[in-house]
Amino acid sequence: MLAKTDDRPRPPGWRLSPWAVTTYVLGDGDRITPKYVGPRRIVEVAVATLATDRALLLLGVPGTAKTWLSEHLAAAVSGDSTLLVQGTAGTPEEAVRYGWNYARLLAEGPSRAAMTPSPVMRAMAEGRLARVEELTRMPSDVQDALITVLSEKTLPIPELGEEVQAARGFNVIATANDRDRGVNDLSGALRRRFNTVVLPVPSTPEEEVEIVARRVAQLGRSLDLPEGVAGIEEIRRVVTVFRELRSGVTSDGRTRVKSPSGTMSTAEAISVVTNGVALAAHFGDGVLRPADVAGGILGAVVQDPVPDRVVWQEYLETVIRDREDWRDFYRACRDAAL
């Protein structure tokens, strides 16, 4: 729909104009639903970056929708979000550059036909966006394979004495977080090739409740779960628990609480509620109740069995127990912890 009505200038290789890409991501308040809920300026800066020759780095703590936003930006700009390099400690340089079909290499020698192009190489040839997930999890030497690609927009192939020139429209969206284990800091040379946009956690409880409710509804439809199962009151309680444990203070600001070792992210809250909806639909009365989410909250909080269990028990007995309208929630959480 946007493509049919979009008469604004489009950068080379783009399916939509920057204005239409932003509208696709944030919605228009009418027929186009928002894919990302957050400050408009953040999305505008991200889209404007992709329209230049600088790559985009989405930085944030786990669960701030970095991957989600990356996927939708690539889909809106290129019509394809599948040109993906998944960063891990074992990601080889071939995942960024190219590999070889060794049967053909032995039979025919080095040739383009014997090459196995990486997603980045394909994106360069086709003028599309490539995505690199968890960039800081990749070894430093693999990260630095991107430097020439981003600065010169070329990918040398020494074996053939050739190079791949990037078609117009090519760029890279990378995601990273600096609070998780296994992080390899980016070199200064590589960091300079990126424009970094930091994605914040939802600023208000209402915003986070809206995000969780919308995403749970979408997941419920994709899983063919009955509609109307997720009660907004239970979603609000889950979000409140996650926000208080994440920030280390209760919502009224009166009581300080210990934070567990996990991130207690919005993404984990969505997972807890979605699992609760499935329990309510298949094993309950079709209404989301405290018992349906209690086990999921316990699993999200207690990542490190000994210290996190102490944190959870203390929070349960000193905060949740004293809330008059949370008695059913307290009993369900206490029973799940036994």
Side-chain angles (χ1 to χ4, degrees):
M1 184 183 74
L2 279 169
K4 290 179 181 178
T5 59
D6 184 16
D7 58 358
R8 299 180 184 235
R10 305 181 188 185
W14 284 39
R15 300 292 183 91
L16 299 172
S17 69
W19 174 87
V21 171
T22 303
T23 302
Y24 165 79
V25 172
L26 295 175
D28 64 352
D30 186 16
R31 290 184 291 175
I32 301 172
T33 58
K35 286 77 182 173
Y36 173 76
V37 177
R40 182 179 185 86
R41 196 59 176 173
I42 285 179
V43 178
E44 290 176 343
V45 170
V47 173
T49 296
L50 293 174
T52 69
D53 62 349
R54 286 176 65 85
L56 173 64
L57 175 61
L58 299 177
L59 187 68
V61 299
T64 47
K66 300 183 295 296
T67 297
W68 184 249
L69 181 57
S70 165
E71 182 176 358
H72 281 290
L73 285 172
V77 170
S78 298
D80 183 1
S81 62
T82 64
L83 297 175
L84 169 68
V85 177
Q86 180 60 59
T88 69
T91 300
E93 190 173 337
E94 289 79 4
V96 174
R97 295 168 56 81
Y98 52 85
W100 296 97
N101 179 328
Y102 286 101
R104 297 196 67 167
L105 182 63
L106 292 173
E108 306 170 7
S111 67
R112 281 295 186 100
M115 291 179 60
T116 304
S118 70
V120 173
M121 187 176 182
R122 288 176 54 201
M124 295 179 71
E126 299 169 10
R128 298 177 182 269
L129 294 184
R131 298 168 52 214
V132 180
E133 288 295 313
E134 301 290 355
L135 177 61
T136 51
R137 285 188 174 275
M138 295 163 55
S140 298
D141 57 329
V142 180
Q143 293 177 12
D144 287 344
L146 286 168
I147 292 177
T148 303
V149 170
L150 297 180
S151 60
E152 305 295 334
K153 296 297 187 291
T154 62
L155 180 60
I157 310 175
E159 296 88 346
L160 303 181
E162 302 176 9
E163 63 182 17
V164 175
Q165 291 281 348
R168 299 186 70 183
F170 164 73
N171 213 330
V172 172
I173 307 176
T175 67
N177 77 76
D178 54 7
R179 293 194 186 180
D180 214 349
R181 296 186 179 93
V183 169
N184 298 304
D185 290 337
L186 302 183
S187 66
L190 181 57
R191 189 176 286 275
R192 287 193 298 272
R193 268 67 181 184
F194 284 99
N195 186 32
T196 301
V197 173
V198 179
L199 299 187
V201 297
S203 57
T204 65
E206 293 75 19
E207 185 177 277
E208 191 161 3
V209 168
E210 178 189 355
I211 293 170
V212 173
R214 176 182 290 111
R215 186 65 183 133
V216 167
Q218 293 171 342
L219 289 171
R221 286 191 293 271
S222 68
L223 297 172
D224 294 327
L225 296 175
E227 294 189 15
V229 172
I232 195 66
E233 183 59 32
E234 297 309 323
I235 292 177
R236 187 171 286 111
R237 286 172 169 173
V238 171
V239 168
T240 299
V241 170
F242 273 56
R243 290 181 70 87
E244 291 180 337
L245 289 173
R246 187 167 64 216
S247 64
V249 65
T250 55
S251 55
D252 58 11
R254 296 179 180 178
T255 306
R256 298 204 59 84
V257 299
K258 295 177 182 177
S259 296
S261 60
T263 57
M264 306 304 296
S265 68
T266 306
E268 290 168 304
I270 292 169
S271 177
V272 167
V273 176
T274 302
N275 185 69
V277 169
L279 283 172
H282 296 303
F283 302 103
D285 58 3
V287 178
L288 187 66
R289 301 190 185 279
D292 298 318
V293 298
I297 292 177
L298 178 65
V301 175
V302 183
Q303 300 289 318
D304 194 332
V306 176
D308 287 348
R309 187 171 291 276
V310 173
V311 169
W312 175 239
Q313 288 292 344
E314 183 176 317
Y315 175 76
L316 191 63
E317 297 299 331
T318 61
V319 177
I320 295 181
R321 183 179 182 180
D322 293 338
R323 291 174 174 164
E324 291 292 335
D325 55 342
W326 283 44
R327 291 295 176 85
D328 54 345
F329 188 84
Y330 165 73
R331 288 192 296 268
C333 291
R334 183 191 60 191
D335 293 343
L338 294 177

